[in-house]
Amino acid sequence: MRPLIRSACRLRARVRAMATLPAAAAFSPSSASAAARPPRLPLARLFLPSAPPAAARGARSLRTSAAAAAAAAVEVGGVKIAREDVVKEEDPTNNVPDPIYSKIGLQLHRSGNHPLGILKNTIYDYFDKNFSGKFNKFDDLCPLVSVKQNFDDVLVPADHVSRSYNDTYYVDAQTVLRCHTSAHQAELLRDGHTHFLVTGDVYRRDSIDSTHYPVFHQMEGFRVFSPDDWSDSGMDGTAYAAADLKKTLEGLARHLFGAVEMRWVDTYFPFTNPSFELEIYFQDDWLEVLGCGVTEQEILKSNGRTDHVAWAFGLGLERLSMVLFDIPDIRLFWSNDQRFTSQFSEGKLGVKFKPFSKFPPCYKDMSFWINEEFTENNLCEVVRGIAGDLVEEVKLIDNFTNKKGMTSHCYRIAYRSMERSLTDEEINDMQWNVREEVKNKLKVELR
Ligand code: PHE
């Protein structure tokens, strides 16, 4: 899963950070220490929605649909959410743009014919069968959560990078769009649950490529043990929980994949110790699909389970689905194109997706002198704000510092629709608008 941390994965895979599913920006120690910094409020100002530029046709229609979605309030888990509850243009502590608001309430994981819904139900089947229905399931919890729920309750340190405005969508200083389903662990424990699965949409500011999207879906699993469970095993509680966790997840992987190459990697999460990631071999690379571990005692103690132990996992539904269904690009999960949606149906896990077309990408490069505030996530937010899902990748291709100490970045933007051919005119329009907004919002000097 995209670790809540953007870690060294990117370096491993393509110099990207992720300790999380899609993304997972993550909670790895390396990213935490290297990038930790307090939230930088002024960044939020960068994303004041502006009047739509005289933009390309494709971009215009995306904007229109985002605006239409933004007009009506949505309801999630009994909570009504209106645009003005989430997008606060005048509030410097808010950094949620309209395209993100427009995703709230879509709940792709609750559609039985969608790859994410099919996967969710298959995982439910595994737990129902192996734990005789003991796991309680939640898939409709509101994604607006407090900073306390998202970070404090799961022991994320005050200076952890995942708390920054660069990584997380803040509605205001106390409220975020959850960046992981672990945000619900504490409240469910307090409510007395000992076995639960939480599925939901999660939100992370991120860079752009085929496996990263700022909204994706996770499933959290949590199981509590009492001393009676492990007393006869000859193990201590932690060792017992760790062994049960690995056995459970290896069983799940076999249930989903049959034979697949996988490996366990030791890692760090603030809320578990020991912590592990499971990686699966996909498209010539190791893909992190899940983070897990034995829950920190403090979380159990604070929530009414002193003397117990527990395990937890968080898995990235998009990443698993991409492997299972051969879906080559994470943007496809959001597609309403019949040629995509009609290929999947309830209960049919692992039907291989047949690409209906391969339209050519179009590459545009842009170079600029960066300033101290510049981050790749901010750049990607601007590009996505203009091009929506027509942008396939934003990649740093050149980086140098001159004698005066000025640093120049060159980014290559790949534009490609999964549904149609783009015209030169609309790509040129989009690129023009991207350049203007990058210059105006990020205050960088174009070269
Ligand atoms: N919340 C972690 C992430 O999003 C995943 C995780 C969940 C790890 C539970 C351990 C235990 O990266």
Side-chain angles (χ1 to χ4, degrees):
M1 36 207 359
R2 235 179 190 183
L4 272 188
I5 318 171
R6 285 179 77 89
S7 61
C9 275
R10 184 73 170 183
L11 288 171
R12 224 192 294 148
R14 5 358 204 237
V15 193
R16 131 175 252 122
M18 143 187 174
T20 206
L21 192 162
F27 292 107
S28 76
S30 51
S31 62
S33 52
R37 58 181 175 270
R40 293 188 296 173
L41 297 190
L43 285 183
R45 296 289 72 212
L46 298 172
F47 300 108
L48 288 185
S50 54
R57 261 167 265 130
R60 251 189 235 127
S61 64
L62 281 159
R63 281 168 179 277
T64 317
S65 55
V74 293
E75 194 172 319
V76 183
V79 181
K80 272 224 165 78
I81 307 172
R83 175 180 181 271
E84 63 267 24
D85 298 329
V86 180
V87 182
K88 303 183 182 193
E89 299 167 14
E90 301 310 322
D91 182 348
T93 65
N94 178 287
N95 63 352
V96 184
D98 272 315
I100 294 299
Y101 170 66
S102 69
K103 299 288 193 282
I104 297 175
L106 296 184
Q107 297 192 308
L108 303 177
H109 58 284
R110 299 184 81 209
S111 156
N113 289 323
H114 189 280
L116 300 179
I118 298 167
L119 174 58
K120 180 194 78 173
N121 287 328
T122 311
I123 300 174
Y124 280 0
D125 290 345
Y126 171 78
F127 280 93
D128 283 345
K129 233 194 270 151
N130 289 281
F131 298 91
S132 46
K134 255 189 151 181
F135 275 80
N136 297 127
K137 306 176 190 91
F138 302 87
D139 71 352
D140 194 25
L141 300 177
C142 182
L144 280 178
V145 299
S146 64
V147 166
K148 178 175 178 296
Q149 289 171 291
N150 198 74
F151 296 122
D152 304 340
D153 284 354
V154 284
L155 315 180
V156 177
D159 62 352
H160 194 278
V161 62
S162 64
R163 291 188 185 242
S164 74
Y165 274 66
N166 190 50
D167 282 35
T168 291
Y169 289 106
Y170 279 78
V171 169
D172 56 43
Q174 281 86 43
T175 316
V176 297
L177 288 170
R178 67 183 162 215
C179 67
H180 57 167
T181 43
S182 304
H184 300 288
Q185 284 186 8
E187 58 184 304
L188 292 172
L189 269 173
R190 280 198 300 278
D191 286 349
H193 297 287
T194 57
H195 296 67
F196 56 85
L197 300 170
V198 180
T199 312
D201 35 323
V202 299
Y203 298 76
R204 294 186 196 175
R205 299 188 77 234
D206 215 333
S207 50
I208 298 178
D209 68 24
S210 65
T211 58
H212 289 81
Y213 198 83
V215 187
F216 59 98
H217 298 76
Q218 286 190 327
M219 185 189 288
E220 190 88 2
F222 203 96
R223 177 177 185 189
V224 179
F225 299 90
S226 57
D228 284 351
D229 293 321
W230 72 83
S231 56
D232 292 341
S233 70
M235 290 186 233
D236 65 25
T238 301
Y240 184 84
D244 188 80
L245 172 66
K246 285 194 171 176
K247 191 180 78 187
T248 302
L249 292 173
E250 284 169 10
L252 174 63
R254 274 192 304 275
H255 179 71
L256 297 177
F257 289 100
V260 67
E261 251 194 291
M262 53 179 151
R263 66 181 186 190
W264 287 107
V265 179
D266 289 330
T267 190
Y268 161 83
F269 294 103
F271 26 88
T272 49
N273 186 18
S275 304
F276 316 101
E277 280 167 4
L278 183 63
E279 295 186 341
I280 283 185
Y281 202 66
F282 177 59
Q283 288 182 353
D284 304 328
D285 212 345
W286 288 101
L287 188 68
E288 176 193 350
V289 294
L290 163 167
C292 64
V294 178
T295 300
E296 284 286 0
Q297 273 303 308
E298 195 180 329
I299 298 178
L300 294 168
K301 236 196 275 168
S302 310
N303 296 288
R305 291 286 168 186
T306 308
D307 298 332
H308 290 61
V309 299
W311 55 239
F313 68 80
L315 54 83
L317 293 181
E318 273 84 348
R319 290 199 165 189
L320 285 170
S321 297
M322 288 175 85
V323 181
L324 286 162
F325 294 96
D326 258 352
I327 295 174
D329 192 302
I330 195 164
R331 294 173 294 165
L332 281 162
F333 290 99
W334 300 94
S335 174
N336 288 322
D337 191 316
Q338 279 265 323
R339 291 169 296 176
F340 176 76
T341 54
S342 66
Q343 294 194 32
F344 308 100
S345 50
E346 191 130 20
K348 298 218 171 108
L349 186 78
V351 170
K352 298 300 177 204
F353 170 66
K354 291 186 206 68
F356 36 86
S357 54
K358 257 253 169 207
F359 297 100
C362 175
Y363 300 101
K364 295 281 178 190
D365 293 352
M366 67 185 298
S367 301
F368 45 82
W369 300 108
I370 63 165
N371 54 34
E372 278 204 338
E373 295 288 289
F374 177 81
T375 71
E376 194 172 309
N377 284 358
N378 290 345
L379 172 69
C380 288
E381 193 104 84
V382 170
V383 178
R384 232 190 258 283
I386 305 274
D389 285 357
L390 299 180
V391 57
E392 176 171 275
E393 185 166 40
V394 175
K395 191 172 169 190
L396 182 66
I397 56 168
D398 190 35
N399 178 1
F400 71 89
T401 302
N402 71 8
K403 284 195 193 122
K404 290 190 205 151
M406 293 162 72
T407 298
S408 166
H409 282 184
C410 179
Y411 284 91
R412 175 157 296 165
I413 304 178
Y415 295 99
R416 185 200 319 239
S417 165
M418 286 163 300
E419 292 159 8
R420 63 193 177 82
S421 289
L422 300 175
T423 65
D424 286 346
E425 192 199 346
E426 67 184 315
I427 291 166
N428 289 337
D429 270 1
M430 277 191 288
Q431 182 66 8
W432 173 259
N433 288 317
V434 165
R435 289 177 65 87
E436 284 298 296
E437 290 213 15
V438 165
K439 184 172 73 189
N440 296 334
K441 290 190 172 177
L442 305 184
K443 308 276 185 261
V444 298
E445 193 186 324
L446 298 183
R447 304 183 54 220

